[in-house]
Amino acid sequence: LLLVAVAFCAPVTLAEADGPDFYAVTGVAADDVLNLRSGPSPHSDKIGEIPHDGRGLRNLGCQCVPTFAEWEKMTPEQRTESGKKRWCRVRFGDLEGWVAGRYLREDSAPQTPESR
């Protein structure tokens, strides 16, 4: 299983068109934050924090995302493990960096004063 999971984590960043345009933070406790890192690893330097309820994070691409064909062939356990390895580059306000993809869900574009 480990070999299969590693195979789905190619060091390639997918373009924005390969996923949602925006994310919201999910699965982070109300008294915690989502760490923004300089690289796609929990060992990379922490460069910022995103609130537990952060919304409108611009998707700049993700790593360790299987293709749909690969995902279809995975067992439920492999899908869960694959999701734990995903890292996404995001922009939140003036901050830009990498976050663990398991803490992201699809979101809509942030509202601007002109769109209200």
Side-chain angles (χ1 to χ4, degrees):
L1 280 178
L2 181 59
L3 182 58
V4 172
V6 170
F8 294 119
C9 189
V12 177
T13 301
L14 298 176
E16 287 181 51
D18 293 334
D21 291 332
F22 296 93
Y23 289 114
V25 176
T26 188
V28 175
D31 63 346
D32 204 356
V33 295
L34 178 59
N35 292 324
L36 189 69
R37 301 211 174 261
S38 62
S41 163
H43 306 294
S44 295
D45 291 337
K46 180 178 166 183
I47 59 174
E49 298 177 342
I50 301 173
H52 73 95
D53 59 353
R55 301 214 34 213
L57 286 72
R58 168 64 89 171
N59 177 9
L60 302 178
C62 295
Q63 289 186 342
C64 301
V65 180
T67 66
F68 183 69
E70 292 167 336
W71 183 86
E72 277 189 312
K73 294 176 185 174
M74 292 175 155
T75 65
E77 294 81 18
Q78 290 171 324
R79 291 174 184 171
T80 298
E81 285 304 308
S82 175
K84 292 178 183 177
K85 295 178 180 0
R86 183 172 60 116
W87 281 84
C88 297
R89 187 165 178 82
V90 299
R91 182 178 305 120
F92 182 71
D94 294 335
L95 299 173
E96 189 173 306
W98 293 89
V99 297
R102 69 179 169 268
Y103 297 110
L104 300 175
R105 66 171 172 79
E106 187 170 353
D107 195 18
S108 57
Q111 288 192 338
T112 61
E114 298 82 34
S115 67
R116 291 183 189 174

